[in-house]
Amino acid sequence: MSHDATGSPIEILLVEDNPGDVRLTIEALKEGKVHNRLSVARDGVEALAFLRREGVHAGAARPDLILLDLNLPRKDGREVLAEIKEDPGLRRIPVVVLTTSKAEEDIVRTYDLHANCYIAKPVDLEQFISVVRSIDDFWLSVVRLPPKPEAS
């Protein structure tokens, strides 16, 4: 079982408002090869509060990887992505956009906003689980994630 360099589990923040997709992602990651801890934010405002450790999220762990849906309530995923990548304290965290949109303008726009990767969610249940497992395999097993900044 893999961990980060300190032996801690890989911290993942899933930003997703669809409870079914949250459940499926949790299930798929449970089966993964890498020991991970998943936190969930249900909308863009909550995601940014989590990342900035504001309010009830004051003790939140800094994620090693963010899985971001684009179509979110309160603040959409494009705005969240822009704010993450404009923040020097957050911009190094890899962001995987995982969304139902297959629109070319969404793909171009998210890469312009410095998303690390764009994946269209398959509608089929088995394919969805397979996609999440491939994220686990690639991002958590193959890719070297940036080191966390020293705690201040």
Side-chain angles (χ1 to χ4, degrees), residues 40-41 45-47 49-61 74:
V40 179
V45 172
E46 186 185 357
F50 183 97
L51 289 164
R52 293 176 178 146
R53 298 178 175 144
E54 296 168 347
V56 297
H57 301 292
R74 291 172 64 201

Side-chain angles (χ1 to χ4, degrees), residues 66-71 77-78 81 94-122 131 134-135 138-139:
I66 299 168
L67 303 180
L68 178 67
D69 187 19
L70 289 184
N71 303 312
R78 297 156 196 82
L81 178 61
V95 178
V96 174
V97 172
L98 183 60
T99 185
T100 50
S101 173
K102 292 182 175 75
E104 203 164 292
E105 63 269 23
D106 277 335
I107 297 168
V108 170
R109 174 114 189 269
T110 54
Y111 280 120
D112 282 348
L113 292 170
H114 308 290
N116 296 83
C117 145
Y118 188 102
I119 300 172
K121 284 184 200 168
V131 162
S134 68
I135 291 170
F138 181 70
W139 283 98

Side-chain angles (χ1 to χ4, degrees), residues 79-90:
E79 293 172 87
V80 173
L81 178 61
E83 287 191 44
I84 290 169
K85 294 302 181 180
E86 284 165 9
D87 185 324
L90 301 174

Side-chain angles (χ1 to χ4, degrees), residues 4-144:
D4 71 7
T6 64
S8 305
I10 301 287
E11 297 284 349
I12 302 171
L13 174 62
L14 172 63
V15 187
E16 173 61 74
D17 64 318
N18 179 320
D21 287 356
V22 169
R23 259 193 323 275
L24 285 175
T25 305
I26 290 168
E27 279 309 304
L29 287 171
K30 240 189 240 166
E31 308 286 315
K33 299 182 183 91
V34 177
H35 183 47
N36 60 68
R37 196 167 26 226
L38 185 74
S39 301
V40 179
R42 307 280 175 179
D43 62 53
V45 172
E46 186 185 357
L48 289 165
F50 183 97
L51 289 164
R52 293 176 178 146
R53 298 178 175 144
E54 296 168 347
V56 297
H57 301 292
R62 177 189 166 88
D64 297 295
L65 181 69
I66 299 168
L67 303 180
L68 178 67
D69 187 19
L70 289 184
N71 303 312
L72 297 166
R74 291 172 64 201
K75 185 179 284 242
D76 100 342
R78 297 156 196 82
E79 293 172 87
V80 173
L81 178 61
E83 287 191 44
I84 290 169
K85 294 302 181 180
E86 284 165 9
D87 185 324
L90 301 174
R91 69 164 60 123
R92 282 196 197 130
I93 302 171
V95 178
V96 174
V97 172
L98 183 60
T99 185
T100 50
S101 173
K102 292 182 175 75
E104 203 164 292
E105 63 269 23
D106 277 335
I107 297 168
V108 170
R109 174 114 189 269
T110 54
Y111 280 120
D112 282 348
L113 292 170
H114 308 290
N116 296 83
C117 145
Y118 188 102
I119 300 172
K121 284 184 200 168
V123 180
D124 174 80
L125 181 75
E126 283 306 307
Q127 283 183 314
F128 183 86
I129 289 172
S130 170
V131 162
V132 174
R133 287 197 186 130
S134 68
I135 291 170
D136 179 58
D137 287 345
F138 181 70
W139 283 98
L140 308 184
S141 301
V142 178
V143 172
R144 285 211 47 194

